[in-house]
């Protein structure tokens, strides 16, 4: 496994991030433990989750599954760089009391203690803001985070789904207050969806944040969906809906044809492409089975030629960074 540093921290993390969103809703606890053991055995040390994962009546279930895996011992917790998130309304319905969601100091304090209990640990390596909160002053957020760092409950703070301007605002405020600031940004980024290149990734690079792309296969769209469809696979979800657009289908067909010519698997190439991108720490993969994890691991060792990278840019040209992306 290849490793890199997480942004401007001293943490060494694997270039593949194990996403756990499927643990609970789609993958039972025993299989989830098997996947985590396989990931750790393969050298993946960066695990990502969120307090809301489990969804619906089972919000928090995913953190509980990770906690029961840690409880097996064997140095599991010490070997893992653990990231979780805060923001969501954790009530079973949307009828929560005020201050039971978002990024108020009150909710951050409540949420971190609840996550620590579910995870069965006394600290979180990377505590991430799942979305921006337009109501809570940035100064209040950093005051709450600084207290958690001083208490030893978290090591670093990161963001998720933040626009470039918010990354700048958060870190400029942190600088003024003497806080450490954000160290990472989780963003939607893949071959098909490259808008993060305009402002989010440049902002992350400017402030020394690691970039952790989520949905690297665009919900399966980049995982060989047309070929699977031709082989009798079931069409479902957003990826299948995207193929109803003629232009999108043409791009994906060209993508699959190109990789078929090179004897490469689409999903592995999509992951490997992200590992070539400036500023990227590592993409999040969310396997439902151990076999899916094995496929993701192969992407780390896959070397993409300059010719292939140029061909991918022709199919998925992206927007380019700002301000050039806005040029007339």
């Amino acid at each position: 496994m290849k490793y890199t540093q997480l942004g401007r921290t001293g943490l060494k993390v694997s270039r593949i991030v194990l996403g756990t969103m499927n643990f609970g809703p789609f993958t039972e606890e025993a299989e989830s433990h098997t996947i985590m053991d396989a990931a750790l055995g393969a050298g993946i040390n960066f695990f990502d989750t969120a307090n809301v994962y489990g969804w619906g009546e089972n919000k928090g279930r995913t953190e509980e599954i990770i906690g029961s895996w840690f409880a097996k011992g064997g140095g599991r917790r010490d070997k893992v760089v653990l990231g979780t998130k805060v923001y969501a309304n954790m009530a079973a319905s949307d009828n929560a009391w005020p201050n039971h969601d978002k990024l108020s100091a009150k909710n951050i304090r409540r949420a971190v203690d609840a996550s620590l209990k579910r995870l069965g640990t006394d600290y979180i390596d990377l505590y991430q803001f799942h979305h921006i909160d337009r109501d809570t002053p940035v100064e209040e957020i950093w005051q709450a985070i600084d207290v958690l760092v001083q208490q030893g409950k978290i090591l670093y703070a990161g963001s998720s789904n933040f626009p470039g301007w918010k990354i700048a605002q958060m870190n400029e405020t942190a600088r003024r207050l003497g806080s450490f600031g954000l160290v990472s940004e989780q963003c939607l980024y893949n071959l098909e969806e490259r808008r993060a290149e305009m402002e989010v990734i440049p902002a992350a690079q400017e402030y020394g944040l690691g970039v952790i792309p989520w949905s690297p296969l665009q919900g399966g769209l980049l995982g060989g969906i047309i070929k699977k469809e031709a082989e009798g696979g079931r069409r479902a979800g957003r990826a299948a809906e995207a193929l109803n657009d003629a232009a999108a289908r043409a791009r994906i067909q060209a993508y699959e044809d190109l990789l078929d010519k090179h004897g490469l698997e689409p999903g592995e190439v999509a992951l490997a492409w992200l590992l070539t991108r400036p500023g990227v720490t590592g993409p999040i993969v969310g396997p439902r089975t151990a076999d899916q994890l094995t496929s993701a691991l192969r992407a780390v060792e896959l070397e993409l030629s300059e010719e292939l990278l140029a061909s991918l840019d022709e199919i998925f040209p992206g927007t380019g960074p700002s301000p050039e992306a806005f040029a007339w």
Side-chain angles (χ1 to χ4, degrees), residues 9-45:
T9 76
L11 290 176
K12 304 294 192 301
V13 295
S14 50
R15 297 221 65 197
I16 289 290
V17 183
L18 181 69
T20 62
M21 184 183 292
N22 290 318
F23 295 175
F26 301 105
T27 306
E28 295 297 327
E29 183 169 355
E31 178 68 7
S32 299
H33 285 190
T34 297
I35 292 170
M36 286 186 280
D37 280 332
L40 197 62
I44 295 177
N45 74 334

Side-chain angles (χ1 to χ4, degrees), residues 77-132:
R77 176 64 188 97
D78 289 340
K79 295 173 183 176
V80 166
V81 175
L82 175 65
T84 192
K85 307 182 191 76
V86 57
Y87 180 90
N89 175 348
M90 290 298 290
S93 69
D94 290 334
N95 297 320
W97 283 84
N99 305 310
H100 277 240
D101 61 1
K102 300 186 179 178
L103 303 179
S104 69
K106 186 174 182 67
N107 188 54
I108 287 174
R109 177 178 177 176
R110 183 200 337 270
V112 75
D113 286 342
S115 284
L116 288 170
K117 182 177 180 180
R118 287 189 292 266
L119 290 162
T121 185
D122 58 0
Y123 77 100
I124 294 161
D125 297 278
L126 179 64
Y127 201 48
Q128 301 159 103
F129 311 126
H130 214 155
H131 298 280
I132 68 171

Side-chain angles (χ1 to χ4, degrees), residues 17 20 22 24 31 44 55 86 116 119 141 145 148 171 185 193 209-210 235 268 278 288 290 297 317 321 325:
V17 183
T20 62
N22 290 318
E31 178 68 7
I44 295 177
W55 311 109
V86 57
L116 288 170
L119 290 162
I141 295 172
I145 291 300
L148 296 182
N171 271 27
E185 160 62 17
E193 177 49 80
L209 278 63
R235 291 188 63 185
E268 294 171 19
R288 295 188 184 187
L297 289 170

Side-chain angles (χ1 to χ4, degrees), residues 25 38 162 263:
F162 273 32

Side-chain angles (χ1 to χ4, degrees), residues 255-307:
Y255 172 66
E256 294 189 17
D257 290 345
L258 171 68
L259 301 186
D260 187 58
K261 183 175 70 173
H262 287 271
L264 297 170
E265 290 296 322
E268 294 171 19
V269 169
L271 289 172
W273 177 82
L274 281 169
L275 293 173
T276 71
R277 305 309 298 164
V280 168
T281 298
I284 299 173
V285 299
R288 295 188 184 187
T289 66
D291 287 342
Q292 290 178 351
L293 175 64
T294 300
S295 176
L297 289 170
R298 289 195 291 266
V300 180
E301 306 301 329
L302 187 59
E303 298 290 338
L304 304 183
S305 69
E306 292 300 322
E307 176 189 2

